[in-house]
Amino acid sequence: MPSENTLKLLCFSAPSGAGKTSLVRALIERIPELSFSISATSRPRRGTEQEGVDYYFLSPEDFRQRAAQGLLLEWEEVYPGALYGTLVSEIERLRSLGKIPILDMDVYGALGLKKRFETQVLTVFVMPPSLDVLRQRLQLRGTDSPERIEERLAKAKEELRLSEEFDRIVLNDEFAMALEQAEAIVRRFIEE
Ligand code: 5GP
């Protein structure tokens, strides 16, 4: 990072199905200072996903090599065998455009960045109303098998435990209210 003293990063985390992606998209539409940080991943491309839009898709070897070279700000094995991380070059690209990067990442990645960058990072946890609601949302989404849903729910329990370590928690029961709350949090951080 060229000048860590002026760095500002927004990290959003949530269990799968909590509505984080919709919330982050809506925030970017409303707040022009924000720009989405495109992560690198070693998992294969899915459906309509595009290189350099949804992710930078790297082979596991390339990913690990870049991590070893210090080219990733953070990275985690989010699912067994699937690596995800933030490229230093991506953060530099957004900052050179005068944008505040908004990152979507797993809880460990977010808490790791918080530990390293302290007040320069704001961590926000998007809380689902309950595990039952989460299960219903994942079932309705219809993109995961029943086994995968159970796997995601088990992971969600662990993520909920770690939510206490986040700077802010946004309850996503009613989307419009969650968005209003998140927008106020983000605007305050930008203006600080
Ligand atoms: P998916 O494979 O469904 O797109 O994403 C799986 C998980 O990876 C999500 O929980 C997402 O938050 C996490 N993730 C995406 N990008 C990053 C990243 O750059 N770093 C970390 N630590 N996690 C990420």
Side-chain angles (χ1 to χ4, degrees), residues 52-73:
V53 176
D54 299 284
Y55 282 105
Y56 298 111
F57 293 97
L58 305 176
S59 68
E61 300 72 40
D62 189 7
F63 192 109
R64 289 195 183 276
Q65 202 172 3
R66 290 187 200 218
Q69 290 171 331
L71 300 178
L72 289 156
L73 193 61

Side-chain angles (χ1 to χ4, degrees), residues 12-16 20 37-41 43 46 49 55 74-76 78-79 84-87 103-110 141 148 152 155 159:
F12 274 68
S13 297
S16 179
K20 172 187 57 181
S37 166
I38 301 162
S39 298
T41 183
R43 78 149 165 76
R46 289 197 293 239
E49 285 179 340
Y55 282 105
E74 62 77 40
W75 65 276
E76 298 287 334
V78 178
Y79 296 109
Y84 296 80
T86 308
L87 290 164
L103 300 87
D104 166 342
M105 61 172 62
D106 84 315
V107 289
Y108 297 104
R141 195 159 82 176
R148 188 96 177 91
R152 286 187 186 268
K155 195 168 162 62
E159 290 162 338

Side-chain angles (χ1 to χ4, degrees), residues 21-119:
T21 308
S22 312
L23 206 57
V24 168
R25 282 207 190 114
L27 285 171
I28 292 168
E29 267 177 33
R30 286 183 175 211
I31 307 176
E33 290 94 327
L34 300 180
S35 194
F36 187 69
S37 166
I38 301 162
S39 298
T41 183
S42 73
R43 78 149 165 76
R45 212 161 56 83
R46 289 197 293 239
T48 58
E49 285 179 340
Q50 282 177 277
E51 164 66 24
V53 176
D54 299 284
Y55 282 105
Y56 298 111
F57 293 97
L58 305 176
S59 68
E61 300 72 40
D62 189 7
F63 192 109
R64 289 195 183 276
Q65 202 172 3
R66 290 187 200 218
Q69 290 171 331
L71 300 178
L72 289 156
L73 193 61
E74 62 77 40
W75 65 276
E76 298 287 334
E77 183 168 356
V78 178
Y79 296 109
L83 311 174
Y84 296 80
T86 308
L87 290 164
V88 172
S89 58
E90 174 68 2
I91 299 301
E92 283 173 349
R93 181 180 75 84
L94 299 180
R95 294 184 71 213
S96 72
L97 296 172
K99 299 285 188 178
I100 294 181
I102 181 164
L103 300 87
D104 166 342
M105 61 172 62
D106 84 315
V107 289
Y108 297 104
L111 294 176
L113 281 185
K114 181 70 196 176
K115 208 165 173 187
R116 179 165 159 202
F117 294 106
E118 301 178 343
T119 54

